[in-house]
């Protein structure tokens, strides 16, 4: 097997070491390129550039494979809990029964939020987007829990505290935005049950926890738990590389996920489907617009930087839509439109040529609607699912002896040097 690549620039030859991953992925290590040649590489959007070596998640975009710490996501969605999957991602292996019990107790013990944080929530303008609130509030947690992470024990407490409190904060944001009384976490409920109860329970109408809804939420969050070096995870790693505290790094990740090209797509898909429904279901027009180079419109929930086939998560989510709606004896006209849209797109030459398939966001909104989550909170739900992945990736980068401050280079295309002209002479 080759151990290096030869780069020839002019009459100069440089041997660059090759890196091989566990699953046969290959990389050229260019860390000495600029020092030896004066050249840098250019890769807008980093589609061909690795930022790190990681043991957390493996994706194969051609095969549509996704594994967390080696375990296929399909098996975790079928058999695991979100809590156990979070432990797996962060600690690198499945917990023993004792470890899982201790993890549960730590999550319960840390699930309350300092009451002073309520004032912050109450002072956001009513129309504030929940992702903006969540990003701000996670950053604010540092002010309430200033203890630095000096050792493994303290890091574990901070990570568990985040997992416990961010879920509670998301429900607080929802309740306060509606002017409703807060509902507190209960030690007798699971992580997912507690979230639903804190969101929807009220003195006038006690919330009935339904197994099929809890199960849908469990699968939803497991499917979102990590996805290697996507935009928001790379943001968490980059911000974390400055050795900033974990709260600030996660807050930055939430901000990146907010974007409609990234995690914000689940909200954008529903808005797109609603628009089609209001236009009497004219999904063919949406397809034509998506293909029109002069139209910035994109078919939201379609396409992916890595998956050039069906996103394995979308497959599970699509199946879950049917099962959940059937068990709740519900129907959703937007699901019918989504199916027709998918059918037409997958048979359209443009989508075939561009390898555009449904991604995780295409059906996830239908599941969230069935659960009763407001559309404005769809990306918050994505963030709550991705939180263990962000934490695991941040921890891996902090533990990596090779990790250093992220600082990409550029090619300058501005003015050549010229002298300043004082304002009176201009
Ligand atoms: C997530 O990275 C991750 O892992 C992300 C994620 C995770 O779990 O963290 O999986 C979550 O973010 C999923 C993606 C959610 N976003 C959307 O659904 C928004 C709609 N999709 C796109 O905008 C787009 O597909 C991206 C942003 C997701 C990926 O785009 P790329 O890889 O940057 O590709 P590109 O924009 O360069 O497009 C390549 C071609 C272009 O056409 P040409 O100019 O080459 O002719 O494909 C076209 C694009 O116009 N194209 C689309 C399209 N997506 C790409 N055309 C119409 N509709 C689309 N959705």
């Amino acid at each position: 097997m080759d151990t290096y690549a030869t780069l020839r620039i002019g009459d100069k030859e440089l041997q660059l070491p090759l890196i091989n991953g566990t699953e046969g992925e290959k990389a050229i290590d260019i860390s000495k390129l600029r020092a030896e040649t004066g050249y840098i590489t250019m890769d807008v959007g980093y589609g061909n550039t690795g930022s790190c070596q990681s043991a957390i998640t493996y994706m194969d975009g051609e095969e549509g494979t996704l594994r967390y710490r080696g375990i296929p996501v399909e098996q975790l969605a079928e058999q695991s809990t979100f809590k156990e999957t979070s432990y797996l991602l962060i600690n690198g292996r499945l917990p023993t029964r004792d470890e899982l019990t201790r993890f549960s107790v730590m999550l319960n013990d840390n699930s309350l939020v300092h009451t002073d944080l309520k004032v912050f929530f109450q002072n956001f303008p009513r129309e504030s987007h929940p992702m903006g609130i969540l990003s701000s509030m996670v950053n604010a947690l540092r002010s309430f829990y200033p203890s630095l992470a000096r050792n493994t024990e303290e890091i574990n407490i901070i990570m568990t505290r985040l997992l416990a409190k961010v879920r509670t904060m998301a429900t607080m944001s929802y309740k306060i935005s509606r002017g409703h009384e807060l509902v507190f976490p209960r030690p007798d409920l699971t992580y997912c049950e507690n979230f639903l109860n804190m969101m929807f329970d009220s003195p006038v109408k006690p919330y009935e926890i339904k197994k099929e809804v809890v199960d849908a939420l469990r699968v939803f969050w497991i499917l979102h738990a990590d996805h290697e070096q996507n935009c928001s995870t790379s943001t968490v790693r980059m911000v974390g590389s400055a050795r900033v505290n974990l709260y600030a790094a996660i807050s930055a990740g939430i901000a990146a996920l907010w974007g409609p090209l990234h995690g914000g797509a689940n909200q954008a898909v529903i808005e797109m489907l609603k628009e089609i429904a209001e236009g009497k279901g004219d999904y063919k027009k949406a397809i034509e617009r998506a293909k029109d180079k002069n139209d910035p419109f994109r078919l939201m929930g379609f396409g992916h930087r890595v998956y050039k086939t069906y996103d394995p998560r979308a497959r599970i989510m699509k199946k879950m839509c049917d099962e959940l709606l059937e068990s709740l004896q519900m129907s959703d006209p937007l699901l019918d439109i989504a199916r027709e849209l998918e059918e037409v797109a997958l048979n359209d030459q443009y989508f075939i040529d561009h390898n555009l398939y449904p991604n995780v966001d295409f059906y996830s909104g239908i599941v969230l609607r069935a659960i009763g989550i407001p559309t404005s909170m769809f990306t918050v739900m994505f963030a709550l699912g991705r939180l263990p992945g962000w934490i695991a990736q941040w921890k891996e980068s902090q533990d990596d002896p090779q990790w250093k401050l992220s600082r990409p280079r550029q090619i300058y295309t501005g003015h050549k040097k010229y002298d300043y002209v004082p304002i009176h002479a201009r």
Side-chain angles (χ1 to χ4, degrees):
M1 183 192 294
D2 289 339
T3 56
Y4 59 83
T6 303
L7 177 68
R8 190 174 301 112
I9 303 176
D11 55 3
K12 189 172 175 64
E13 270 201 7
L14 183 64
Q15 295 196 333
L16 296 167
L18 295 182
I19 299 169
N20 292 293
T22 322
E23 292 290 343
E25 292 171 305
K26 300 180 186 340
I28 301 170
D29 181 342
I30 58 167
S31 43
K32 62 183 182 183
L33 179 68
R34 191 169 186 280
E36 308 245 340
T37 68
Y39 279 76
I40 64 168
T41 58
M42 185 60 72
D43 183 20
V44 176
Y46 305 116
N48 304 283
T49 299
S51 62
C52 61
Q53 298 189 49
S54 174
I56 299 172
T57 291
Y58 173 67
M59 290 168 66
D60 181 323
E62 283 63 40
E63 296 297 319
T65 301
L66 177 59
R67 300 186 207 129
Y68 297 158
R69 298 287 187 179
I71 303 177
V73 74
E74 293 82 355
Q75 293 180 20
L76 292 165
E78 187 72 34
Q79 306 171 62
S80 183
T81 65
F82 178 60
K83 202 182 307 176
E84 183 183 60
T85 299
S86 300
Y87 187 100
L88 168 71
L89 285 167
I90 293 170
N91 297 286
R93 58 174 176 78
L94 290 168
T96 62
R97 256 170 282 185
D98 284 349
E99 287 167 333
L100 190 57
T101 303
R102 275 202 301 277
F103 187 48
S104 294
V105 168
M106 272 185 81
L107 284 171
N108 277 328
D109 290 353
N110 283 281
S111 54
L112 282 175
V113 172
H114 196 294
T115 187
D116 289 358
L117 274 166
K118 196 175 162 185
V119 174
F120 286 60
F121 284 109
Q122 287 164 335
N123 284 284
F124 279 101
R126 272 284 170 264
E127 290 315 301
S128 303
H129 194 286
M131 282 296 275
I133 296 174
L134 189 66
S135 179
S136 314
M137 296 308 291
V138 168
N139 227 339
L141 279 179
R142 172 74 172 73
S143 308
F144 289 84
Y145 306 100
S147 61
L148 292 176
R150 282 179 302 262
N151 54 49
T152 306
E153 183 58 26
E154 286 180 356
I155 290 172
N156 282 334
I157 290 172
I158 289 177
M159 295 191 296
T160 310
R161 176 187 290 145
L162 255 178
L163 276 172
K165 292 186 188 308
V166 176
R167 175 202 56 183
T168 304
M169 284 161 55
T171 63
M172 281 175 77
S173 163
Y174 175 66
K175 283 294 199 189
I176 289 170
S177 72
R178 296 165 65 84
H180 292 178
E181 276 307 304
L182 297 181
V183 176
F184 293 101
R186 289 171 26 188
D188 60 313
L189 298 181
T190 67
Y191 190 92
C192 294
E193 289 170 343
N194 251 319
F195 174 80
L196 292 166
N197 194 56
M198 287 191 279
M199 279 288 286
F200 302 120
D201 192 39
S202 84
V204 291
K205 188 168 182 269
Y207 178 68
E208 182 200 351
I209 296 174
K210 292 180 181 168
K211 183 185 173 314
E212 60 269 41
V213 174
V214 175
D215 204 43
L217 180 59
R218 173 188 68 82
V219 173
F220 179 93
W221 275 343
I222 287 174
L223 294 180
H224 285 82
D226 193 57
H227 218 232
E228 53 127 287
Q229 304 312 316
N230 57 83
C231 177
S232 52
T233 299
S234 300
T235 301
V236 170
R237 277 180 169 261
M238 180 169 268
V239 170
S241 75
R243 296 284 185 236
V244 79
N245 64 81
L246 177 57
Y247 303 106
I250 298 295
S251 171
I254 295 169
L257 188 74
W258 191 357
L261 291 188
H262 189 15
N266 57 16
Q267 177 176 346
V269 166
I270 293 300
E271 286 159 0
M272 174 183 75
L273 295 175
K274 279 181 183 167
E275 204 179 292
I276 294 171
E278 278 140 28
K280 309 268 181 291
D282 185 3
Y283 50 83
K284 290 195 175 66
K285 187 159 162 264
I287 297 276
E288 288 317 306
R289 283 191 62 196
K291 291 158 60 174
D292 178 356
K293 287 296 156 226
N294 301 316
D295 188 334
F297 175 83
R298 290 220 160 159
L299 201 62
M300 302 315 275
F302 257 75
H304 199 276
R305 175 62 59 77
V306 175
Y307 290 126
K308 299 310 169 192
T309 182
Y310 216 103
D311 182 330
R313 303 167 299 174
R315 207 182 296 285
I316 299 171
M317 207 67 86
K318 180 179 179 180
K319 182 166 168 282
M320 196 159 72
C321 280
D322 282 337
E323 290 164 1
L324 183 59
L325 291 177
E326 191 187 338
S327 63
L328 295 175
Q329 289 165 348
M330 285 169 78
S331 65
D332 187 341
L334 298 190
L335 177 58
D336 303 334
I337 293 175
R339 291 173 161 296
E340 285 163 355
L341 205 49
E342 177 190 352
E343 178 67 27
V344 173
L346 293 186
N347 291 290
D348 182 289
Q349 205 52 48
Y350 171 90
F351 287 82
I352 295 167
D353 294 346
H354 286 84
N355 295 311
L356 300 176
Y357 294 85
N359 59 51
V360 67
D361 295 307
F362 191 62
Y363 287 104
S364 59
I366 308 285
V367 173
L368 294 175
R369 276 161 58 94
I371 292 174
I373 306 291
T375 306
S376 63
M377 278 192 70
F378 280 10
T379 313
V380 167
M381 296 301 286
F382 191 144
L384 293 176
R386 185 53 50 89
L387 188 55
W390 286 332
I391 290 171
Q393 297 273 353
W394 171 85
K395 183 167 177 289
E396 185 180 66
S397 68
Q398 301 296 311
D399 295 343
D400 180 351
Q402 285 192 318
W403 193 247
K404 57 185 182 180
L405 179 70
S406 294
R407 204 280 186 212
R409 303 303 297 260
Q410 63 162 29
I411 292 296
Y412 175 70
T413 56
H415 289 291
K416 287 245 183 222
K417 181 183 170 190
Y418 70 98
D419 294 331
Y420 176 74
V421 178
I423 187 71
H424 58 69
R426 267 180 258 163

